[in-house]
Amino acid sequence: MNTQAPVCACGIVLVLLLLLTVPRTATAQKNDIDIYSLTVDSKVSSRFAHTVVTSRVVNRADTAQEATFQVELPKKAFITNFSMIIDGVTYPGNIKEKAAAQKQYSEAVARGESAGLVKATGRKMEQFQVSVSVAPAAKVTFELVYEELLKRHLGVYELLLKVRPQQLVKHLQMDIHIFEPQGISVLETESTFLTNELAGALTTSQNKTKAHIRFKPTLSQQQKSPEQQDTVVDGNFIVRYDVNRTISGGSIQIENGYFVHYFAPEGLPSIPKNVIFVIDKSGSMQGKKIQQTREALIKILDDLSPKDQFNLVSFSREITQWKPSLMPASEENVEKAKSYTSSIQAHGGTNINGAMLMAVQLLDKANQEELLPSGSVSLIILLTDGDPTVGETNPKEIQKNVQGAIGGQYSLFCLGFGFDVSYAFLEKLALDNGGLARRIYEDSDSALQLQDFYQEVANPLLTAVAFEYPSNAVEEVTQDNFRLLFKGSEMVVAGKLRDQSPDVLSAKVSGQLLMQNITFQTEAEVAEQEKEFQSPKYIFHNFMERLWAYLTIQQLLEQIVSASDAEKQALETRALGLSLNYSFVTPLTSMVVTKPEGQEESQVVEKPVEDENIHRDIPSGHDVFRSQAMGNRKFRITGSISAESWYTSRGRLRGQGNLKSIAGEVVPFLLSSAPSGPDGVSHGVDLGIEGTSPALPASIQAPPFILPLPGQSVDRLCVDIKHSQGPMTLLSDPDQGVEVTGQYEMEKARFSWIEVTFKNLQLQVRASPEHVVVTRNRRSSVYKWKETLFSVMPGLKMTMDEAGLLLLSSPDRVTIGLLFWDGPGQGLRLLLQDTGRFSSHVSGTLGQFYQDVLWEPPAADDDSKRTLRVQGHDHSATRKLKLDYQETAPGAEISCWSVEL
C-alpha cells in the first residue's frame, strides 16, 4: 500500500546485552559455568544490520549447572534465528504462526513457567533469555541472530552493542563491518568501559566505502587489576556513522534482483512551521512532570525560527489558549510565551478531545483568514500523561473526531508521558493524522527527551514527497508517498526488479518546497550495482531482499494500527506470510525453542508489543537484573566500571598524554561513559560522597575560581564573584574556537550552570549541579556526575573520572575542567591547565587575567594587600586562606591572592 505517512525521524539504536549468569564466587570459572568464547559479529550492508551473537560455555563443575543466555536487542529488530548446540546436537528455534504456537504457550503459562522469552526492558530494548541445564564437563554453544534497518536520526545512523560477560573470557571479540556504496562521511565509536589501557584492544580501519571495527582484548586487558579476576568489559559499545550525500540526495542500490532507494537531500532550506503545542496540565502532571514540561517547552520556544508561527493550548478540565490566534515567533512573542509557560500549573481532569479540537480550530481560522504563509507546514504536538476523563472520554470517538477535524491538512504528533496513558490510543491518533507517537519516560532527563523529539521535527524540508519508477522495471514496491521529510532523517523505498527490467533503473522523486514543485532524478546501472555488492567478503549477501521484507513488514504493522476492521485481515495475512517466509519473529509469529529430552518442555519466543503495563515494574532508565537461582545458591548480577582517576595520591591533577593526529585520516570518536539507562542516556543524580570529611572552619571555603598564572610573579589567583547580572562570558578565545559562559546566582553564591562551547566541533558541554549534558550536532547525551566518560574525537579528548572531574583537552588547546565540588562552598567549579596556550585574543571575566597583567609590590604597611593591574584597570588583591577544590573534598587549605569581581 502506498498510503501517505510521515518519514519517521526517530533514531534507531541497535542494542546488545550479552550476559551469561554464573555464580559470583572466587572459584566461579574453575568450578562452574565458564564462558570460554564470546563473539559478536555485526555486518551493516547499506544500513541493514545483521548481528550474530555466539557464546560458547563449558560446565567445569562436578554437578549439572544451569546456564542462562541473555541478549538485549532493539524493539524494532526482528530475531531471525536461535540455536543451541549441546555436545554436538543442535536444538533449533522454529518460527511459526502465533496461533500454531499458542497451545505450547498456554501450557507453559499453566505450569507457572515464563513462556515469553522476550520481554521489554527499558526504553528501546527487548531482552531475549533462555536457560538450559548443562551436564558436568559438557559444552554448549548459544547463537542468536537478529536484523534491523538502521534509521537516520539527527544526521547519523547508530549501532549500539552492550557487552557484559560478567567474567574473564579467553576469546572475547566484537567485529563490526560496514559497507556503504555512497561512501562513509563520518565514523565515530563510543564505549562505556574503554580506558587508556583498554583502548589498545580496539582497532578501526576505514576507506571510502568500508569500515571494520574490532574489539579483541586479552585476558590481562580485561582484568580490573592483576589481583582481581573481575572484568572491566561491562557496558556499551556504540558506532555512529553517516554517508556522503549530494544535492540530489538520492542513492539507488541493487543486489540480487532487489533495490533500495535512499533519499536525504542536502542543502535544502527549512520550510516555515505553524505549530500548536497542546499541553496536558491535569492533576496527574503535578510535581516533576509539569516542571520538566515547562523547562522543555521554554527551550523549544527558544529554538523556533523567526519564520515560524505558534500558539499554546493547555488543558485540564478547562481548556486555555495562550493567544486567540497564531503568533509570529518574534523575539518579543517568544519571551511572552516563555513567561506564560512558566506560570502553567497542574490541576483538574483531562479533556483531550476539547483541547485537540481547539488546536485544529486555531489552524483552521488562520487558514481561512489566509494567515498561514504559502508553502508552510502545520503541526500539532500533543503532550499528555493520562487517559481522557472530561468531556468525550471514549478513545474511538476522540480518534474519529480529531481525524474528521484535521481532514488530512495538518500532521499530529503525540507524546505520551509515562505509563498511565494508553500508548495504543495515542499511536492510532497520530498515525491517523500523518504523524507519529513517542513515549516520554519519567526520569531526570524527561525535559531533554521532549527537546530531542522537537529537534527531529524542527526543520521540515519537503512536503508531499512521491517516488516514481518505470512500471516495466519494478514491482512490489514499499511505501512510495510521504507527507513530510525532516532534516536529519531519510526516506527509504525498496522493491523488486522485474525479470525483464531495463539495464538502467531510473527514479524520479518529486515534492514541494515553499509552494514550488521540485524534482530529483536518480538512476543506477543494474549490472554495475550488482557487482558492487558481490566483491566485499564480509557483506551479508541477499541482504537487500531481507531489507525489503523487513521494511514491508514494519510498514504493514504500522498500517494495521490505523486500518479499518475490514482492511486489517488482508494486511495481517500479508505481514504473516512475509514473516514466515523470511523467518522473522514479529507480533504475528512465535519461535518455539526446543530443548534436550528430559529438560523443561519447549519454550515460546514472542515479540512484545508496546503496552502501557509492561514497563510499570521496570525503572525506565535503568537496567534491571533479577536474582537467578543456580543449584542451592542465589546471586545477583552486578557490574562495576573502573576508570583511571585524574588525581594523584595528593589529589592534584595528573598530566595527560598527547593525542595523535594523523593528517588526512578519519579519527574515530571514542566516548566512554557509564550511563545507567539501557539507551545510553543517564538518569538520576548521585552527588553524595562516601565517608566523612574532617571539619574545617566555616569561614574557609573554596573560591569560585582558582586560576593558574604560569610565567607571572604570582603562580595562582583566587577569584570571588561579588557582582553578577545574567549570564557572563568567562573565557573566549576565537583563535582556539572555545568559549566558556556561566550563570552565577548571587543569592546562593554558586553557578547554576557553566557551558563550554567548541565552535569548530559544533560541540557544547553544559554542566549543572544535577548533571552534564553533551550536545553535538543537535544530539544530546546526559551524564550524571562521577560517571566514567572516555571520549576521543578529532581535536578533542573528553574524560570524566569516578571523582566527577570532567576534562576537555587537546594537544593544542587549553585544558578545561568542570567539577561539581562537594566540599565547603559546594557548587560547580572550573579548572584550567596549559593556560600558556591561550592566544593574545583571549577575553572574558577570567580571560582578562591572561592578557597584560602587572602585579604591584605588596603595600609597605600591610603585606597581605597588593594591586593587580589588568589591561589598564586596577584590582585590589588580598592574601586569604582558601580551600583548593582541585584536591579531593574537603580540599587542602591554601594561601591565595584573591580578587573580587
Side-chain angles (χ1 to χ4, degrees), residues 1-6 408 431 434 464-466 479 481-484 558:
M1 283 199 171
N2 297 331
T3 53
Q4 283 200 348
L431 291 175
V465 183
Q479 178 184 328
N481 282 269
F482 303 86
R483 183 177 289 195
L484 289 168
E558 192 172 89

Side-chain angles (χ1 to χ4, degrees), residues 830-841:
L830 182 74
L831 300 90
L832 297 174
Q833 284 184 301
D834 308 314
T835 54
R837 294 173 180 166
F838 277 128
S839 76
S840 59
H841 300 111

Side-chain angles (χ1 to χ4, degrees), residues 154-203:
L154 294 176
V156 293
Y157 309 97
E158 189 167 278
L159 176 86
L160 181 137
L161 307 172
K162 272 194 176 179
V163 183
R164 289 178 177 170
Q166 296 295 306
Q167 61 173 245
L168 301 178
V169 180
K170 184 177 181 181
H171 177 220
L172 175 61
Q173 183 169 330
M174 289 192 296
D175 283 284
I176 299 156
H177 294 276
I178 301 172
F179 177 57
E180 290 290 350
Q182 286 175 254
I184 299 170
S185 63
V186 176
L187 179 65
E188 306 173 348
T189 61
E190 179 177 312
S191 170
T192 67
F193 51 80
L194 272 177
T195 61
N196 285 320
E197 292 77 18
L198 197 56
L202 178 69
T203 58

Side-chain angles (χ1 to χ4, degrees), residues 824-872:
Q826 184 185 71
L828 295 173
R829 292 295 188 273
L830 182 74
L831 300 90
L832 297 174
Q833 284 184 301
D834 308 314
T835 54
R837 294 173 180 166
F838 277 128
S839 76
S840 59
H841 300 111
V842 65
S843 62
T845 303
L846 304 180
Q848 63 179 323
F849 295 106
Y850 295 97
Q851 288 284 6
D852 297 326
V853 176
L854 177 64
W855 286 91
E856 299 288 349
D861 57 341
D862 187 352
D863 61 4
S864 67
K865 296 183 183 296
R866 63 192 302 185
T867 298
L868 172 63
R869 177 162 293 180
V870 181
Q871 295 180 310

Side-chain angles (χ1 to χ4, degrees), residues 80-302:
T80 66
N81 189 40
F82 171 73
S83 64
M84 293 183 291
I85 302 174
I86 304 176
D87 285 337
V89 180
T90 300
Y91 299 88
N94 300 311
I95 296 177
K96 300 181 179 182
E97 181 181 357
K98 184 169 284 189
Q102 190 61 44
K103 185 170 180 289
Q104 290 164 288
Y105 182 87
S106 300
E107 288 174 353
V109 171
R111 291 193 301 268
E113 297 169 359
S114 176
L117 299 188
V118 181
K119 62 182 180 181
T121 58
R123 299 181 182 179
K124 297 178 181 177
M125 283 79 70
E126 295 165 354
Q127 179 183 279
F128 172 89
Q129 175 177 306
V130 66
S131 300
V132 64
S133 179
V134 184
K139 293 182 177 180
V140 179
T141 298
F142 299 97
E143 183 176 280
L144 182 74
V145 183
Y146 62 88
E147 294 175 342
E148 182 181 13
L149 178 64
L150 302 182
K151 289 191 177 181
R152 194 166 180 247
H153 169 66
L154 294 176
V156 293
Y157 309 97
E158 189 167 278
L159 176 86
L160 181 137
L161 307 172
K162 272 194 176 179
V163 183
R164 289 178 177 170
Q166 296 295 306
Q167 61 173 245
L168 301 178
V169 180
K170 184 177 181 181
H171 177 220
L172 175 61
Q173 183 169 330
M174 289 192 296
D175 283 284
I176 299 156
H177 294 276
I178 301 172
F179 177 57
E180 290 290 350
Q182 286 175 254
I184 299 170
S185 63
V186 176
L187 179 65
E188 306 173 348
T189 61
E190 179 177 312
S191 170
T192 67
F193 51 80
L194 272 177
T195 61
N196 285 320
E197 292 77 18
L198 197 56
L202 178 69
T203 58
T204 300
S205 58
Q206 181 191 350
N207 61 23
K208 182 179 177 183
T209 59
K210 304 169 190 174
H212 178 204
I213 297 144
R214 170 172 287 177
F215 178 66
K216 190 178 180 180
T218 63
L219 278 171
S220 60
Q221 285 177 314
Q222 295 173 48
Q223 284 180 267
K224 286 187 175 180
S225 69
E227 299 78 26
Q228 291 181 293
Q229 292 300 304
D230 292 332
T231 178
V232 298
V233 181
D234 184 350
N236 301 341
F237 188 85
I238 302 170
V239 178
R240 293 191 186 95
Y241 75 94
D242 198 17
V243 300
N244 295 320
R245 302 177 194 279
T246 62
I247 187 66
S248 68
S251 173
I252 297 177
Q253 296 164 28
I254 300 168
E255 193 248 359
N256 200 33
Y258 285 81
F259 79 92
V260 62
H261 186 178
Y262 294 108
F263 181 71
E266 291 287 290
L268 296 180
S270 296
I271 298 173
K273 304 185 300 296
N274 313 298
V275 192
I276 308 289
F277 298 99
V278 184
I279 306 300
D280 185 346
K281 61 172 184 179
S282 60
S284 57
M285 288 283 290
Q286 279 185 343
K288 197 162 189 178
K289 278 199 248 183
I290 198 67
Q291 175 189 335
Q292 290 175 320
T293 300
R294 290 193 299 257
E295 176 188 336
L297 198 49
I298 287 169
K299 294 278 180 60
I300 288 170
L301 290 169
D302 271 331

